[in-house]
Amino acid sequence: MYPERGTRADIYLPHLAHNIEVFKALHHGPIMGVVKADAYGHGLARITDTLKMCDALAVATIEEALQLRTFIPDKRILLLEGVFNRTELELAIEKRFDVVIHQQYQLDLLLASEFTAPVLEVWLKVDTGMHRLGFDWKDYPQVLSLLQHIKMIRTIRLMSHFSQSDQPDHPQTQSQINRNKKLLQHGLEVSFSNTGAVLNGLSSPREWARVGLGLYGISPLSNRFAAEFNLKPVMKVGAKLISIKKTLAGESVGYGAEFTCTKDIPVGVVGMGYADGYPLSPHSSQVMIRGQKAAVIGRVSMDMLAVDLSTVLKPQIGEPIEIWGDQQPVEQVAKDLHTIPYTLVCGITGRVKFYVIDQD
């Protein structure tokens, strides 16, 4: 039997269901699952049925919302960036999307609309200190007043976004918390918290918590991994050894001779490279083989990466390699490569074979 490249990403639906239950236990209010960017690279179509456990879902673009609506006809879907023109507004009304209003041009679209019946759910985004999207703190009361007089709006909710939810004691975070408390005084439903805020206990009771990265069993907190919160990785990425050779001390490995062996070592080649989604980086990480760490050495190629197999007893061509997953969390790989886990899971390319695992 000949070996295979074996580059794959396994998506564990039971882990996704488990993680949703974890967040329901952590936050005593509705959970809005954030599934933008093809469910953070996990494949929206693959996980749709499990996502029905969430109270609502959120995406970034109208195209994502339209795709999601074909899978889930009855669930609340929120457009996090809102609509950009009249056509998108009319689509949002037709498909029953909730929309975020964060800029004057979006407010102008509503003011110019000819709808006189209440047909739209609106989330007014207030900039409480992140300075990305949202109406300025000093301006939002006037915007809220205008929205309350637009006949096409059925319900108004308030929204903000933490800039540093991973640092609950930071002055900016505390300032945002204080402003969020003032927003609560309007008596409207609200959404302030993302994954990090929920994990750090910052979410307000009964608010709509927007859980993104955490759904997939990944922590956005720089100092704590998901496993510490009993979260399980939904994506496991692996490949296989496609080559093994003895490399002598003084010889170099890979493009640019960036790694030189200080002793004789067995060098394995794994069938995964930057064209599959493993990033080219000046920093290095490791892979797992039979529960042992094997350091990635030399420059990552388009289709391959090299590893030091010194820690592995009698390695064999065709053996499975874990890039990240149960044995090595994606947070660790991201930390080693000086990037963030979002870029890794979102970066898996189309030539990687995906497999849905529906049982533990």
Side-chain angles (χ1 to χ4, degrees):
M1 179 181 293
Y2 292 100
E4 60 178 355
R5 189 167 187 258
T7 315
R8 62 186 289 162
D10 295 333
I11 303 299
Y12 288 82
L13 298 184
H15 289 188
L16 176 61
H18 167 84
N19 295 339
I20 294 172
E21 293 293 351
V22 168
F23 278 98
K24 287 184 175 182
L26 289 172
H27 172 69
H28 302 297
I31 297 294
M32 182 180 293
V34 181
V35 295
K36 59 186 178 178
D38 201 24
Y40 289 52
H42 290 67
L44 187 58
R46 301 182 186 101
I47 65 174
T48 300
D49 287 343
T50 308
L51 290 173
K52 293 176 183 177
M53 296 173 60
C54 296
D55 299 291
L57 300 169
V59 295
T61 70
I62 192 79
E63 292 81 10
E64 291 173 335
L66 290 169
Q67 180 192 21
L68 182 57
R69 181 57 83 208
T70 65
F71 301 137
I72 302 182
D74 300 322
K75 187 72 67 175
R76 166 170 280 156
I77 297 174
L78 175 63
L79 281 167
L80 291 169
E81 293 182 359
V83 295
F84 294 94
N85 51 57
R86 181 171 178 172
T87 300
E88 290 190 1
L89 176 60
E90 292 174 352
L91 266 176
I93 294 169
E94 177 189 348
K95 299 297 184 180
R96 294 172 289 107
F97 300 147
D98 289 22
V99 299
V100 170
I101 303 297
H102 59 80
Q103 290 290 306
Q104 182 65 41
Y105 66 83
Q106 295 172 327
L107 177 60
D108 291 341
L109 278 173
L110 301 186
L111 291 169
S113 174
E114 298 173 355
F115 286 94
T116 57
V119 292
L120 187 66
E121 303 280 339
V122 166
W123 300 67
L124 171 58
K125 188 154 194 177
V126 182
D127 184 359
T128 58
M130 186 169 184
H131 304 313
R132 192 174 62 175
L133 298 183
F135 286 91
D136 289 346
W137 179 254
K138 62 180 175 57
D139 297 330
Y140 94 84
Q142 180 182 1
V143 177
L144 177 58
S145 178
L146 287 172
L147 290 174
Q148 289 170 332
H149 289 87
I150 297 177
K151 294 180 180 180
M152 69 178 297
I153 296 177
R154 182 183 295 119
T155 307
I156 302 171
R157 296 175 178 85
L158 299 176
M159 173 185 289
S160 65
H161 195 87
F162 282 109
S163 174
Q164 303 191 65
S165 61
D166 58 334
Q167 300 185 59
D169 297 324
H170 192 279
Q172 184 185 31
T173 306
Q174 292 301 310
S175 173
Q176 289 191 273
I177 289 173
N178 291 332
R179 286 184 168 182
N180 288 342
K181 289 178 180 178
K182 293 179 180 178
L183 292 177
L184 283 169
Q185 295 174 5
H186 290 284
L188 303 174
E189 291 185 43
V190 298
S191 178
F192 304 141
S193 298
N194 54 7
T195 295
V198 174
L199 294 180
N200 270 328
L202 299 180
S203 61
S204 301
R206 297 180 297 280
E207 72 159 290
W208 289 82
R210 306 185 304 275
V211 181
L213 196 67
L215 281 187
Y216 312 102
I218 307 169
S219 169
L221 307 182
S222 59
N223 59 344
R224 301 186 69 181
F225 285 178
E228 298 179 48
F229 300 97
N230 192 30
L231 297 169
K232 298 181 179 181
V234 176
M235 178 190 288
K236 177 180 176 181
V237 175
K240 291 190 176 182
L241 280 177
I242 62 173
S243 169
I244 301 173
K245 61 173 57 183
K246 193 76 171 181
T247 308
L248 303 179
E251 294 183 330
S252 60
V253 177
Y255 285 118
E258 292 183 2
F259 177 87
T260 300
C261 300
T262 57
K263 59 181 181 179
D264 297 355
I265 61 171
V267 173
V269 175
V270 180
M272 186 169 192
Y274 57 77
D276 303 290
Y278 194 98
L280 180 65
S281 170
H283 309 282
S284 63
S285 185
Q286 61 275 322
V287 300
M288 301 297 294
I289 174 170
R290 288 193 236 142
Q292 300 296 317
K293 294 180 180 180
V296 176
I297 57 177
R299 187 189 301 176
V300 174
S301 302
M302 180 180 288
D303 314 302
M304 297 168 279
L305 54 85
V307 295
D308 179 355
L309 294 174
S310 299
T311 60
V312 182
L313 180 64
K314 296 182 179 179
Q316 302 293 318
I317 288 178
E319 285 202 63
I321 300 291
E322 181 179 286
I323 307 297
W324 65 72
D326 294 322
Q327 300 176 61
Q328 174 167 247
V330 67
E331 297 104 313
Q332 183 61 57
V333 180
K335 187 175 182 180
D336 293 341
L337 297 178
H338 292 216
T339 185
I340 54 177
Y342 300 82
T343 64
L344 296 181
V345 292
C346 290
I348 297 299
T349 70
R351 72 179 191 175
V352 175
K353 296 179 180 178
F354 277 77
Y355 298 86
V356 175
I357 313 299
D358 57 13
Q359 294 182 347
D360 276 326

